[in-house]
Amino acid sequence: MKTVEVLGTPLRVTTYDALSDFCHEEVRKASVFAVDFTNSHIVTMRRMSVEFRSMMSCFDHFIPDGMPLIWCMNRGRAQLSDQVYGPTFMRKCLERTQPDYRHFFLGGSKECLAKLEMRLRKVHPGLSVVGMRDGYFSAEEEEGIVSAINEISPDFVWVGLGTPKQQRWISRWKSKIQRGALLAVGYAFDVNAGTKPDPPLWMQRRGLGWAFRLASEPKRLAGRYLRYNSLFLFYLLWDGLRGQAIRRTVAAGVASWFGLSFLVPMPLDSDFRWESVIKSTFYMSEENTAEAPTNPRTNLAAEFREFWDFLPRKHVFAVLAISWLLLFQFLGNSTFGYIDTPSLFTWMFAAYNAQMSEDSHGNLIPFVVLGLIWWKRRELMSLRLEPWHWALPMFVVAVVLHSVGFVAQQPRISILALFFGFYAIMGLCWGRSWLKHTFFPYFLVIFCVPIGSLAQGITFPLRMLVTQLSVGFASIVLGLEIVREGTLIFDADKSFQYDVAPACSGIRSLITLFALTTIYGFITYQTMWRRLVMMAVSVPLAVLGNVLRVITVIVVGDVYGMKAGLNIEQKLGLVTFLVAIVGVMVLGYFLDEKRSGMEKQNESWGMENSGDRPVSDVVGGAVFVLLEDESAARWTWDQSCSRGWEWWTGYRVSGVSFGLWRESSSCQWGSDQHLAGRYHHRYSSV
C-alpha cells in the first residue's frame, strides 16, 4: 500500500474495502502485524514525543482515521474521498469476514463486551468469536492474556483500550504474539456495542467528529482536544512556514481546530501550478518504488532567497519604498496637539494601543498581509513581471492624498495614502499582474486605519439594536418582566440593572469577525459572490453573538440576582466568536452544497465528481487541455503564440490533470513559460 507522510507519520492510502481485503489476506500468513487507526491526536503525539514515536515503531500500518488527515493527504495526491474510521471499519470488516476467521476482543468494560457480543451474534450469526477480555486488568495479568491469545490463535485481535494504552500494550506484547492482526481501534467497542453515541455521518465527513465527542464527554476530552488540536495546527503552520505545508492544508488545519471544515472544501490538486510544491510537501512513497522526490523538505531561508531572486528591479523598489516610508516617518503627522510626533507610524502605534482602544488589531494586520503574500509566493513566481507605467498616476494620487491629509490634520487619510502609494510602487516595479494577484491580501490593510472616535457613530446604533433585540426576546419569548430605557435594562422592581455599554456594542467583535470572514472567504472561494456573502455575514453574526450574551445576563440576573448577572457577563467574552463559528459553519455548508450544479457540469466533461474546483468561473473563450505525465520536465507549447492563449487554472481528477487556457490578445510566450507535464494533442473548445 502507498503512503503519504503527514507531520512525520506515514499514513496508508487505503479505503474500508481495500484495508479489509488486505487484512483478510495477511492473517493467513504465519506472522503478526499491527494496524493503528491514526487520528490527528496520534499524529501530534508522534511528532512531539520521541518516546511515543519510538514506542509506535512496532506498528506496520498507520490508517488515516480523521478527515483533517485526509485533507492533508490529498494535498499529496492521495485522492481519498473518506477517512477509514475505526468503528466503521470494524463493522465493515466483520461483515466481509467468513466463518472460518477467528476474532478476539480485548478492551472495554464487561458490560460493553456483553452488549457487543449480543449485537455481533444478532447481526453476524456465523461470526467466530473465540474470546473476549475487558480492559480492566493489571500489569501482572497481561502475560496470561497473551498466553491465552496464543493458545486460541485468533486471526483478528481487536484492541480497544484507548490511546495511548492500546499502543503501549501492542508495543510491549507484539513480539510475543505468534500470529494474526493486532488492530488498535480506540473506542470502537463502545460505539458498536451502543454504550457511546457515534457522530452523525455528515459530521464525520466534515471533520467534526471531535466536536461531537467533546459535547458527549466534555470533562474527559476538553483538555486533550485543546492541547493536541492546537499543537496539530501549530505544527501545520510551522511546517508551512518552512515550506513543508501548502495553501489549503494549513487552512484545513485551522478549520479542523475550530470546526470550520465547511470553509475549506478540499479539491484534489485544484491549482496545477502548485504541483511542484505538492511534490515537495506531502510526498507519496511505495515499497520498491522511487516516486518520492530526492529533497522533499526545503529550507525557509533558501525559499526566501529563491523568491527574492525571482523579483526583478529589487533595487529600484527598495529605493522607492524606503523613500516613501521616510516621508511618512518625518512628515507623516501634523496633529502635534494630540500626539507630539511627526511620525505617522508613531501616531498609528499610539492609536492602536491606547486605553480602551478598539483598533488593537491594527498591530497584526501588516504581518497577516505579509504572511498571506508569502503563502501565495508560488503563484506570484509564475507571473511575468514587467514595469507598468500606469502605476505612476496612482502614485501621484497617493502623494496628493497625503498632502490633503497632512494639511487637514487627518492622519487617517495619510494612512490610506501610505498604503496606496506602496501599492503603486509595487505596480511600477512589478506590473499590473502583480497588483492583480496581490489585491488579496493587500486590501486587508484597510483594517490598519484606526476608527477611534469615529466608532461612536456606529457603537450607539449597535448598542440600541442589541438592547432592543435582547429585551424583546426576554419579554416576548421568555416572558420576563423587563423594562428598557435607552441602553439601560432593568426588571420591574429595579432590583437588577444592566447597561449595554459601548464596550458591549459589539464593534470590536464586528471588526474582528469582518477581518476573519474576509480572509476565509478569499482563501476558500473563487467566486466573488461567495466571498461577499462570507464577508457580509459578519454583521449579523456579531449582533447575534452580543444579543445572546445580553440575554444570558438578563436571565441569570433575573434568577440569581444582579451580582450573578454581572459576574457571568465578564465570562462570556468568547460567546460572540462561538456563535460566529457556528454561523460560518452553517453558511459554509450551504455555499458548498450549491456547487452540486457545477459538479454536474464537470461530469458532462467526463470529470469525476471529486469536489474539484468548478470551472464555471472562466469567462469568455477557453480551451480545455488534457495534460499527462506529472514529471517535472519543462516544456513549451509552441502553438500557443499563434493563437494567443494564456494559462488560466488547472485541476486534477483521479490521477489526470486538466488545464484551462483562455484566449489573450497579448500573450508572449518564450522559454520561460513552462508547466510540469507534456502537451497532449487532444483538446477541444469549451
Side-chain angles (χ1 to χ4, degrees):
M1 289 189 289
K2 296 178 180 179
T3 64
V4 173
E5 190 170 293
V6 177
L7 299 184
T9 298
L11 299 172
R12 294 291 179 180
V13 180
T14 187
T15 62
Y16 288 111
D17 293 341
L19 180 61
S20 179
D21 293 340
F22 173 81
C23 290
H24 279 87
E25 292 176 4
E26 289 295 309
V27 296
R28 290 304 193 190
K29 302 176 182 178
S31 60
V32 61
F33 63 96
V35 178
D36 183 76
F37 288 83
T38 307
N39 54 25
S40 58
H41 173 209
I42 297 174
V43 168
T44 305
M45 289 183 67
R46 281 176 49 84
R47 173 65 179 266
M48 66 178 291
S49 173
V50 176
E51 180 183 357
F52 186 76
R53 185 165 60 251
S54 175
M55 182 186 69
M56 292 199 69
S57 61
C58 68
F59 281 84
D60 302 280
H61 308 286
F62 296 94
I63 309 303
D65 184 355
M67 288 307 298
L69 298 181
I70 296 297
W71 298 330
C72 293
M73 293 175 69
N74 283 346
R75 293 300 88 206
R77 301 190 302 163
Q79 302 183 35
L80 294 173
S81 60
D82 197 6
Q83 62 182 338
V84 183
Y85 180 50
T88 302
F89 173 78
M90 182 176 169
R91 291 194 298 270
K92 289 181 177 292
C93 183
L94 295 177
E95 288 173 1
R96 298 168 68 92
T97 194
Q98 299 298 319
D100 56 333
Y101 286 91
R102 300 152 63 84
H103 298 266
F104 185 93
F105 296 87
L106 175 64
S109 63
K110 293 182 179 180
E111 178 188 4
C112 172
L113 289 180
K115 291 184 177 181
L116 178 62
E117 183 177 15
M118 183 175 62
R119 285 197 172 192
L120 293 178
R121 299 294 185 189
K122 181 179 179 180
V123 179
H124 309 291
L127 186 68
S128 177
V129 179
V130 295
M132 284 187 169
R133 173 59 196 259
D134 65 81
Y136 298 92
F137 50 81
S138 63
E140 292 75 16
E141 297 177 278
E142 292 186 9
E143 188 171 356
I145 295 173
V146 173
S147 299
I149 291 175
N150 286 330
E151 183 178 351
I152 299 171
S153 188
D155 298 294
F156 291 86
V157 179
W158 301 91
V159 184
L161 300 174
T163 300
K165 184 178 179 180
Q166 60 193 11
Q167 286 84 4
R168 188 177 297 114
W169 188 90
I170 291 176
S171 173
R172 184 180 302 165
W173 297 107
K174 178 190 174 186
S175 60
K176 303 295 184 180
I177 296 177
Q178 297 172 357
R179 59 172 300 274
L182 305 178
L183 300 140
V185 291
Y187 80 129
F189 289 10
D190 290 296
V191 170
N192 291 316
T195 57
K196 289 185 180 180
D198 203 17
L201 186 59
W202 69 268
M203 293 191 74
Q204 294 182 32
R205 290 178 175 174
R206 292 291 176 179
L208 296 175
W210 68 271
F212 183 89
R213 291 193 63 193
L214 178 60
S216 302
E217 303 177 82
K219 291 184 178 180
R220 187 174 73 89
L221 298 176
R224 164 180 153 181
Y225 285 151
L226 179 62
R227 180 185 183 187
Y228 290 103
N229 285 14
S230 301
L231 285 172
F232 180 72
L233 170 61
F234 169 77
Y235 288 133
L236 281 180
L237 293 173
W238 175 250
D239 284 359
L241 292 175
R242 296 173 60 198
Q244 299 169 18
I246 59 171
R247 286 226 316 184
R248 294 177 184 260
T249 301
V250 176
V254 176
S256 67
W257 197 97
F258 288 108
L260 296 180
S261 53
F262 294 105
L263 288 177
V264 192
M266 298 300 293
L268 304 175
D269 295 356
S270 54
D271 191 345
F272 187 77
R273 283 171 293 180
W274 287 83
E275 187 69 27
S276 60
V277 189
I278 293 170
K279 286 186 176 181
S280 66
T281 305
F282 298 113
Y283 57 91
M284 191 172 297
S285 63
E286 185 176 6
E287 290 79 359
N288 301 322
T289 65
E291 191 172 328
T294 57
N295 185 19
R297 299 187 176 184
T298 56
N299 182 271
L300 177 61
E303 285 207 6
F304 180 81
R305 285 194 299 269
E306 179 187 7
F307 185 51
W308 180 253
D309 292 341
F310 160 76
L311 295 175
R313 294 167 291 279
K314 292 183 288 291
H315 302 297
V316 176
F317 172 79
V319 171
L320 292 176
I322 293 174
S323 301
W324 185 245
L325 295 176
L326 289 175
L327 170 65
F328 287 90
Q329 173 64 25
F330 296 106
L331 289 173
N333 173 46
S334 60
T335 59
F336 300 111
Y338 299 95
I339 300 177
D340 189 12
T341 176
S343 170
L344 182 65
F345 304 111
T346 305
W347 186 93
M348 293 166 64
F349 182 81
Y352 296 155
N353 300 281
Q355 188 175 8
M356 301 299 292
S357 173
E358 303 287 352
D359 303 302
S360 56
H361 58 273
N363 293 303
L364 300 176
I365 293 298
F367 299 100
V368 172
V369 172
L370 290 174
L372 290 172
I373 289 177
W374 175 256
W375 167 73
K376 298 181 70 172
R377 64 191 181 280
R378 294 293 175 182
E379 177 183 343
L380 297 175
M381 291 175 66
S382 68
L383 302 177
R384 186 182 182 90
L385 303 184
E386 295 180 346
W388 188 46
H389 301 296
W390 284 105
L392 185 59
M394 295 172 56
F395 185 77
V396 173
V397 170
V399 173
V400 173
L401 196 62
H402 173 53
S403 301
V404 172
F406 191 86
V407 172
Q409 295 188 342
Q410 294 294 327
R412 295 178 182 85
I413 297 179
S414 294
I415 293 174
L416 293 175
L418 166 67
F419 291 113
F420 188 67
F422 205 85
Y423 193 59
I425 291 173
M426 291 191 294
L428 281 171
C429 296
W430 300 325
R432 182 183 177 185
S433 60
W434 176 277
L435 297 186
K436 176 182 177 182
H437 286 80
T438 58
F439 178 75
F440 173 81
Y442 192 80
F443 78 88
L444 294 175
V445 297
I446 193 69
F447 293 103
C448 287
V449 180
I451 298 178
S453 60
L454 299 178
Q456 296 178 3
I458 304 175
T459 55
F460 185 74
L462 282 176
R463 291 169 63 193
M464 291 296 297
L465 178 62
V466 170
T467 306
Q468 292 171 356
L469 293 175
S470 303
V471 172
F473 185 88
S475 301
I476 299 174
V477 179
L478 302 180
L480 300 178
E481 296 183 4
I482 302 298
V483 181
R484 179 184 68 85
E485 290 183 1
T487 60
L488 289 176
I489 301 173
F490 48 86
D491 58 5
D493 300 330
K494 294 191 176 182
S495 61
F496 171 80
Q497 179 175 308
Y498 179 70
D499 182 20
V500 180
C504 301
S505 65
I507 184 64
R508 177 176 298 193
S509 59
L510 174 60
I511 296 174
T512 304
L513 287 176
F514 185 68
L516 291 176
T517 54
T518 299
I519 294 173
Y520 270 113
F522 272 82
I523 287 178
T524 305
Y525 301 111
Q526 302 302 311
T527 51
M528 183 57 67
W529 73 267
R530 283 187 174 86
R531 294 172 174 175
L532 294 176
V533 169
M534 190 60 67
M535 294 164 62
V537 78
S538 61
V539 178
L541 287 179
V543 172
L544 179 60
N546 280 280
V547 168
L548 292 178
R549 181 181 181 182
V550 174
I551 290 174
T552 303
V553 173
I554 292 175
V555 173
V556 174
D558 186 75
V559 176
Y560 299 103
M562 180 177 176
K563 185 176 181 180
L566 294 177
N567 288 336
I568 196 67
E569 187 273 335
Q570 299 174 1
K571 301 176 182 179
L572 294 176
L574 293 178
V575 169
T576 299
F577 296 98
L578 292 177
V579 172
I581 289 171
V582 175
V584 171
M585 286 168 54
V586 174
L587 178 62
Y589 172 78
F590 286 106
L591 289 178
D592 191 39
E593 283 294 308
K594 292 179 181 179
R595 296 178 180 227
S596 58
M598 300 179 186
E599 293 172 356
K600 293 179 180 179
Q601 182 181 8
N602 292 348
E603 293 176 359
S604 67
W605 292 340
M607 297 172 64
E608 296 181 8
N609 186 6
S610 59
D612 278 39
R613 184 180 300 170
V615 297
S616 59
D617 295 346
V618 182
V619 180
V623 165
F624 186 75
V625 182
L626 177 62
L627 300 170
E628 292 183 340
D629 186 5
E630 303 296 332
S631 66
R634 296 188 175 186
W635 59 277
T636 302
W637 185 16
D638 54 7
Q639 300 180 12
S640 59
C641 287
S642 61
R643 286 293 305 274
W645 299 96
E646 65 179 353
W647 175 254
W648 178 260
T649 186
Y651 311 87
R652 179 175 177 79
V653 185
S654 300
V656 180
S657 294
F658 297 84
L660 281 176
W661 305 68
R662 66 177 180 180
E663 196 166 9
S664 172
S665 58
S666 60
C667 178
Q668 299 180 357
W669 282 88
S671 59
D672 292 336
Q673 304 294 335
H674 59 269
L675 294 168
R678 290 202 306 267
Y679 171 63
H680 192 277
H681 69 278
R682 182 162 58 90
Y683 63 92
S684 58
S685 296
V686 176

